[in-house]
Amino acid sequence: MPLQSVKETAKRFQISERRVQKLCEEGRIDGAQMISNVWVIPDTAKKPSDERYSTEIDHMLSLADLCKELSISVATGRNWVKLGKLVPASSIKRTPYFTWEYVSKLKNDLQNGKISALKSRRNKKYISGNSIYRSYVSETSENLPLIESVIDMIEQNEIEITEELTLALLADCAIQLILYRTEKKTEPDGLRGFLEGKYKNNPYLFLVSDLLGQTTLPSETTPSETTEKYAKLLTVRYVYETNEDILGLLYLSLKNMGSRKATGSYYTPTKIVKKLCASLLQKNEPKGKTILDPCCGTGNFLLQLPDSFDPKHVFGNDIDTISVKLARINYALKFMIPEKHMIYSHITEQDYLLFSPDQKFDFIIGNPPWGYEYSKTEKELLRTKFISAAGSNIESYDVFIEQAFQNLKQGGILAFILPEAFLNVKAHSPIRQLLLNKNSIQYLEYLGNAFDKVQCPCILLQSIHTGAAFSAIGLTVHDGDRTFTIQNERNITADCFSFRTTDEEYHLLKKIENSGHKTTLKGQAAFALGIVTGNNKKFITNAKRANNEMILKGSDLCKYRFHDTDHYIVFKPESFQQIAPTKYYRAEEKLLYRFICNQLVFAYDNRKTLSLNSCNILIPQIPGISVKYVMAVLNSRIAQFYFKKTFHSVKVLRSHIEQIPIPITNTESQEHIIRLADLILSATNENDITETYDEIDREIAEIYGLSGEEHLLIKETMKGENLFLY
């Protein structure tokens, strides 16, 4: 019997998690039991019929609960309450509470695009509408226009996508694919014929019965009400295509984008799946090897495997019931396996994080869930099992990687599609350290934004479980523009996990780090965030008045200086959502820098200018080193080369700035560079700015101890990029 978490039960009962916990403790939910200090409840359990709420809030959601449902931070939630964007039903001890009905309606309105009040924030969970996920299959797929026609009919006729409709459309498609593949029937009567018992001798159609929730094939009766109700949608004639996940495409297109984000599920485009399979097999012989996709969805990764894989060695698993049933159909048809026991034992429905470490595989591949929202009780359980779950926030792909490390044989290969954040975000240091302890990377490819409607750069990571400390030798890297293989050993740590450099570039980075007399800003600078107003429309105006003053955004900054803007604000710190101490905004001398940018852009300010949170503050405090000299170093191509090759981030973080080597030079050299910086600050001609910048760049390269050839290599690497000089 499937078990549910407290969180899942709370949603089903439409009561708070706190109330479910209390009912379990009181023994009032049939079958509830404690497993590893976590309550689990049978999915058939009923809410007590005599349920009485002891307090008004027992059947409501707290602000924290609501924020989980909307995938926003509690701080954002508080601000939305303050601004009237969220309206609580009650407030007890200054804590707002919301009814389930309110939250359900809010989510539906967000999904359907009926409200826009919350759309100032890019909430990816609520991309509205249902649409075809074209990149999921090949561009030439014959079924792509067919599924598009189904979606078009649904949208044009404003048909609600219910579970009944979803299952009917999937079953109709599955039946046609099965009959096309196994009996060469090109125009079978789909679901209607199946329900009439026309195809009951086909040995694969038990999989459709399973999909529909039936234990036996139906008797010869009149077509169901479902086929009558959706007759027009069941007239499409699908064709079986080798290695194309047509069932997955249809299922994915019917699912709302919101539900994919809530479960951390982003279905991988077929071209990316093929790329992973090709890179995996380029160096690794598949014959006789076992392979597992632990989060297989509808089975697209398994479909792309070459025929050299023995189906007896191919395994898939997922927690989504419908996905598993569709994956079984895909697996059975790809390898032409009608045996129920083999299909069900190879494609399973269970929580991969509960797999035994004794289950070993030669290859573990796939796209693990990203950003899965674990409940409090689930987090407590994960922290007892996984090192990578020790932090306050648990990232689902981290624990999947750690579980995969446990399930790999010696010499086994892990090949996952992951967010690029895995390589450079501090929160993922624990899982990177686990990789370094007993694994090395065979292949790494930077994919960019690979998923429809999701702005998240991705990577293809392929590692080998060696049982020994990490070695970079032999690692092949493809960064989008070039492919190279690392030939020399490197000092790779969990905090510095970048591979975008050739051996020549890496040598240059090490020279910059080890150049002569140097220091860093770590512990020798003050940092402050720009102002977060909470409502820019309310606080910022384009009109200059006697009581307001100019405030800068990141886009107002160039290297060395900023443009005066027509954005003005009345400085009332107590009115803003988040603000640094006033002394930082009013410093006699400070640097302002773009926070959201793939370049280092630092501007000088001695006018005590205010800035918003896209324009942050740095006040260097290195003894004997001028603020303007630090600015010139950070604005140089050398610092940009170091930033790009070491961090490759679209955000300039404090931790990045603190690691950039600052060469220490004599007073005379500093004063020379300061004079040049002042020329840029006062220049009005773009050519003068560029020429002076190049002169400063050459001077700083010499201070770093770089040769002319090394400086030229850096200039070539930076060629074509916006320098943000004017």
Side-chain angles (χ1 to χ4, degrees), residues 460-490:
L460 191 167
L461 178 77
Q462 186 173 305
S463 68
I464 179 168
H465 184 59
T466 61
F470 181 90
S471 172
I473 295 176
L475 164 57
T476 299
V477 179
H478 180 70
D479 68 0
D481 299 321
R482 57 189 185 166
T483 300
F484 57 89
T485 299
I486 296 173
Q487 305 290 351
N488 300 315
E489 198 56 88
R490 298 187 178 185

Side-chain angles (χ1 to χ4, degrees), residues 67 70-73 76 80 85 110 115-128 257-258 261 266 373 449 451-457 595-597 650-651:
C67 291
L70 299 185
S71 290
I72 61 176
S73 69
T76 299
W80 285 357
K85 294 181 178 181
L110 281 166
I115 61 175
S116 58
L118 306 182
K119 288 191 176 179
S120 59
R121 179 185 183 274
R122 291 191 308 160
N123 191 343
K124 294 175 187 172
K125 181 170 180 177
Y126 293 109
I127 299 172
S128 61
M257 284 290 288
K261 172 63 170 64
Y266 293 109
E373 298 172 10
N449 295 319
F451 293 85
D452 280 4
K453 302 182 182 179
V454 179
Q455 295 298 311
C456 179
F595 170 54
I596 306 296
C597 195
V650 294
K651 293 181 180 179

Side-chain angles (χ1 to χ4, degrees), residues 260-268 293-297 317-319 351-353 366-374 394-401 416-419 428:
R260 292 209 298 278
K261 172 63 170 64
T263 59
S265 302
Y266 293 109
Y267 285 64
T268 316
D293 181 349
C295 33
C296 67
N317 176 80
D318 207 280
I319 59 171
D351 186 346
Y352 174 61
L353 300 180
N367 175 18
W370 306 357
Y372 186 89
E373 298 172 10
Y374 294 110
I394 299 176
E395 174 50 63
S396 46
Y397 62 77
D398 283 354
V399 289
F400 264 73
I401 294 171
F416 273 175
I417 305 298
L418 299 168
H428 305 301

Side-chain angles (χ1 to χ4, degrees), residues 345-365:
S345 62
H346 281 247
I347 310 296
T348 55
E349 180 187 350
Q350 55 184 308
D351 186 346
Y352 174 61
L353 300 180
L354 299 179
F355 266 42
S356 167
D358 295 332
Q359 294 176 264
K360 301 293 186 182
F361 300 89
D362 295 294
F363 302 120
I364 298 179
I365 66 170

Side-chain angles (χ1 to χ4, degrees), residues 568-710:
Y568 302 95
I569 193 169
V570 177
F571 187 58
K572 292 184 177 180
E574 69 279 2
S575 303
F576 305 138
Q577 181 178 321
Q578 186 177 348
I579 189 169
T582 302
K583 65 179 181 179
Y584 295 122
Y585 303 109
R586 302 311 191 189
E588 295 293 331
E589 194 177 30
K590 68 177 185 283
L591 301 181
L592 300 169
Y593 65 93
R594 292 191 182 212
F595 170 54
I596 306 296
C597 195
N598 63 359
Q599 294 271 343
L600 298 175
V601 180
F602 287 82
Y604 180 76
D605 176 48
N606 60 356
R607 294 158 50 185
K608 302 180 181 180
T609 314
L610 297 177
S611 63
L612 289 168
N613 60 314
S614 60
C615 180
N616 290 340
I617 296 168
L618 164 66
I619 305 176
Q621 298 168 342
I622 305 173
I625 300 295
S626 156
V627 170
K628 287 183 179 178
Y629 171 75
V630 172
M631 172 180 65
V633 170
L634 293 176
N635 279 332
S636 70
R637 290 187 181 93
I638 298 89
Q640 175 59 30
F641 173 81
Y642 188 89
F643 171 77
K644 178 178 180 179
K645 295 300 181 179
T646 304
F647 308 114
H648 192 76
S649 174
V650 294
K651 293 181 180 179
V652 180
L653 303 179
R654 172 177 177 171
S655 61
H656 298 157
I657 299 170
E658 288 181 329
Q659 293 180 59
I660 296 172
I662 308 293
I664 297 176
T665 188
N666 57 48
T667 302
E668 182 182 355
S669 182
Q670 279 195 63
E671 289 178 349
H672 176 60
I673 288 176
I674 291 168
R675 285 195 296 272
L676 293 173
D678 286 338
L679 287 177
I680 291 181
L681 286 169
S682 61
T684 57
N685 182 280
E686 292 183 0
N687 287 334
D688 291 343
I689 293 173
T690 301
E691 289 177 5
T692 306
Y693 176 79
D694 286 339
E695 185 176 351
I696 293 174
D697 212 51
R698 288 191 296 270
E699 294 282 345
I700 290 175
E702 288 183 14
I703 295 173
Y704 272 110
L706 303 181
S707 68
E709 288 184 356
E710 289 168 334

Side-chain angles (χ1 to χ4, degrees), residues 433-451:
Q433 187 59 56
L434 288 176
L435 188 153
L436 291 172
N437 290 345
K438 295 184 178 181
N439 305 271
S440 291
I441 302 176
Q442 280 189 331
Y443 181 77
L444 177 64
E445 181 166 351
Y446 295 84
L447 301 170
N449 295 319
F451 293 85

